[in-house]
Amino acid sequence: WTGDLLVRLGVHDEGICALCDQQDETIDHLLLGCVYSREVWFKLLRARGLQRLTPVDGASLQDWWLEARKSLAKADRKGFDALVLLSWWEIWKERNGRVFHRSAKSPTMLVHHIGEEARVWMAAGFRRLSAVIERPGAPVANRFHM
């Protein structure tokens, strides 16, 4: 449950984002609009040569995802979808780590962790993810070091 829901339910008095401590914690803010999340997205996408897809503050999950995937070749869309879902999951886990375990990763550390997890997914058979992770247009220096 995000901070805004916890406030509505009366569990917490305030629902400030656990990642940036600056704005109300809604799901759109947490996964896309937060300065922490946007830095993660920029670093993650830049390593693939896709930095133009970095979310802007105020974007909704659905609108950003649909627009971003439409800008890619059809062959890359399923891999991009997997990268988005994996990244959202890892950002959510980072948020929970901060809330429940008082642990925190820098955006660079989280991007590296997402890269490691993506490689595990590819080794497990999700080969379409490699179309985005090992994207030919990405700078070679960044391709494997998210």
Side-chain angles (χ1 to χ4, degrees):
W1 292 357
T2 56
D4 66 328
L5 179 61
L6 294 172
V7 168
R8 279 186 280 157
L9 294 174
V11 176
H12 288 293
D13 292 334
E14 57 183 57
I16 300 298
C17 177
L19 297 177
C20 71
D21 198 30
Q22 296 176 13
Q23 294 184 21
D24 289 342
E25 186 183 81
T26 65
I27 198 67
D28 288 335
H29 171 77
L30 184 71
L31 299 179
L32 289 183
C34 172
V35 293
Y36 178 92
S37 299
R38 284 195 323 240
E39 185 174 344
V40 168
W41 281 112
F42 177 76
K43 290 176 181 226
L44 186 65
L45 294 168
R46 182 184 58 188
R48 323 268 84 62
L50 298 170
Q51 61 271 18
R52 72 184 187 283
L53 302 179
T54 302
V56 295
D57 190 18
S60 77
L61 296 174
Q62 181 178 356
D63 292 344
W64 172 77
W65 190 4
L66 292 174
E67 287 301 314
R69 73 184 311 274
K70 272 196 259 182
S71 73
L72 298 171
K74 283 189 179 187
D76 293 341
R77 290 179 185 170
K78 287 189 179 182
F80 179 75
D81 291 346
L83 181 63
V84 167
L85 293 172
L86 170 60
S87 299
W88 284 345
W89 175 239
E90 293 300 331
I91 291 169
W92 179 254
K93 289 185 354 187
E94 174 61 18
R95 179 259 186 205
N96 286 344
R98 290 172 184 229
V99 170
F100 300 112
H101 303 292
R102 304 211 192 286
S103 66
K105 292 182 180 97
S106 70
T108 301
M109 290 169 59
L110 185 58
V111 168
H112 179 73
H113 178 75
I114 291 168
E116 290 174 350
E117 217 31 53
R119 286 177 206 32
V120 170
W121 284 28
M122 289 185 299
F126 200 87
R127 304 207 193 305
R128 293 195 183 194
L129 190 52
S130 67
V132 177
I133 296 298
E134 299 171 358
R135 197 162 183 268
V140 175
N142 292 334
R143 202 175 298 155
F144 300 104
H145 304 287
M146 303 169 103

